[in-house]
């Protein structure tokens, strides 16, 4: 809380310095809780839904590569898609692990320091997890994707 803000609020009898600091602390706590819930939800969705579904999908692709190769045909399309999916899958797994670590670190903090950590570190780690997951969603067929896609939400409501 800036001194000039405290002076103005006290001058007009709106809030005391203690009240302003209390309100700021409540805002920091509410922000931290909201981001914490979102981050833990991302970790849960990635670990229990998206990553297992993409493992199953990449297994299907690998079996397709083997079947097409056994039939004597070109497997470059299937192999390329398999490489792309497994690359994004690896990125998603690493980003999920990193997000878990930074969320755990945030639990050791409180107040403004915690809110700033959520903003500067946890939110960045959330974006790093979302990037490969969004790319996977765009290339994986609809039946393999474990939840409604953006297209489903936009056009099939």
């Amino acid at each position: 809380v800036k001194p000039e803000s405290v002076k103005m609020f006290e001058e007009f009898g709106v809030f005391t310095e203690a009240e302003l600091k209390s309100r700021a602390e409540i805002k920091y706590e509410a922000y931290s809780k909201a981001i914490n819930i979102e981050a833990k939800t991302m970790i849960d969705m990635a670990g229990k839904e998206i990553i297992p579904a993409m493992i199953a999908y990449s297994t299907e692709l690998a079996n397709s590569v083997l079947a097409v190769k056994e039939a004597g045909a070109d497997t470059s399309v299937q192999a390329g898609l398999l490489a792309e999916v497994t690359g994004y899958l690896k990125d998603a797994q690493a980003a999920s692990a990193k997000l878990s670590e930074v969320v755990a670190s945030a639990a050791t903090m409180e107040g403004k320091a915690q809110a700033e950590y959520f903003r500067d570190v946890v939110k960045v780690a959330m974006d790093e997890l979302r990037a490969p997951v969004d790319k996977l969603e765009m290339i994986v067929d609809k039946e393999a994707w474990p939840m409604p896609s953006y297209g489903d939400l936009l056009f099939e409501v």
Side-chain angles (χ1 to χ4, degrees):
V1 180
K2 295 181 180 179
E4 57 268 21
S5 297
V6 171
K7 181 181 175 189
M8 181 186 69
F9 278 103
E10 285 183 334
E11 188 176 298
F12 288 102
V14 178
F15 293 117
T16 65
E17 182 175 3
E19 290 170 328
L20 285 170
K21 287 182 177 179
S22 177
R23 290 175 67 85
E25 194 63 32
I26 290 167
K27 297 280 187 188
Y28 293 138
E29 186 176 325
Y31 175 79
S32 294
K33 282 184 178 182
I35 300 298
N36 189 43
I37 289 167
E38 290 181 19
K40 287 183 175 181
T41 301
M42 285 183 79
I43 294 164
D44 191 59
M45 288 173 69
K48 293 181 180 175
E49 295 181 40
I50 296 167
I51 291 172
M54 294 307 93
I55 290 171
Y57 184 68
S58 62
T59 301
E60 278 183 44
L61 286 172
N63 289 335
S64 174
V65 170
L66 294 174
V68 171
K69 189 175 196 173
E70 194 172 294
D74 179 25
T75 61
S76 61
V77 173
Q78 294 90 337
L81 186 56
L82 177 60
E84 189 175 12
V85 168
T86 57
Y88 291 139
L89 179 58
K90 181 179 178 183
D91 294 345
Q93 177 63 36
S96 182
K98 179 181 176 186
L99 181 56
S100 293
E101 289 175 20
V102 298
V103 167
S105 293
T108 66
M109 302 170 195
E110 56 185 43
K112 184 178 181 181
Q114 185 183 50
E116 289 174 342
Y117 185 82
F118 273 107
R119 179 195 66 204
D120 298 337
V121 179
V122 175
K123 179 64 173 73
V124 171
M126 290 169 71
D127 292 342
E128 290 171 357
L129 174 55
R130 183 172 177 171
V133 169
D134 283 352
K135 289 175 182 172
L136 282 166
E137 181 181 0
M138 300 310 293
I139 61 173
V140 171
D141 73 21
K142 187 175 182 173
E143 287 76 35
W145 193 249
M147 58 196 63
S149 68
Y150 289 126
D152 294 337
L153 296 172
L154 288 172
F155 304 113
E156 296 180 19
V157 176

PDB file of all heavy atoms in Angstrom, residues 65 67 72:
ATOM      1  N   VAL A  65       2.043 -47.518 -37.781  1.00  0.00           N
ATOM      2  CA  VAL A  65       3.326 -47.497 -38.494  1.00  0.00           C
ATOM      3  C   VAL A  65       3.784 -48.926 -38.770  1.00  0.00           C
ATOM      4  O   VAL A  65       4.187 -49.257 -39.895  1.00  0.00           O
ATOM      5  CB  VAL A  65       4.411 -46.718 -37.697  1.00  0.00           C
ATOM      6  CG1 VAL A  65       5.791 -46.907 -38.301  1.00  0.00           C
ATOM      7  CG2 VAL A  65       4.072 -45.232 -37.627  1.00  0.00           C
ATOM      8  N   ALA A  67       1.963 -51.702 -38.865  1.00  0.00           N
ATOM      9  CA  ALA A  67       1.052 -52.399 -39.783  1.00  0.00           C
ATOM     10  C   ALA A  67       1.267 -51.947 -41.225  1.00  0.00           C
ATOM     11  O   ALA A  67       1.308 -52.771 -42.147  1.00  0.00           O
ATOM     12  CB  ALA A  67      -0.394 -52.162 -39.362  1.00  0.00           C
ATOM     13  N   GLY A  72       4.138 -53.152 -46.531  1.00  0.00           N
ATOM     14  CA  GLY A  72       5.060 -52.738 -47.570  1.00  0.00           C
ATOM     15  C   GLY A  72       4.811 -51.345 -48.131  1.00  0.00           C
ATOM     16  O   GLY A  72       5.344 -50.996 -49.181  1.00  0.00           O
TER      17      GLY A  72
END
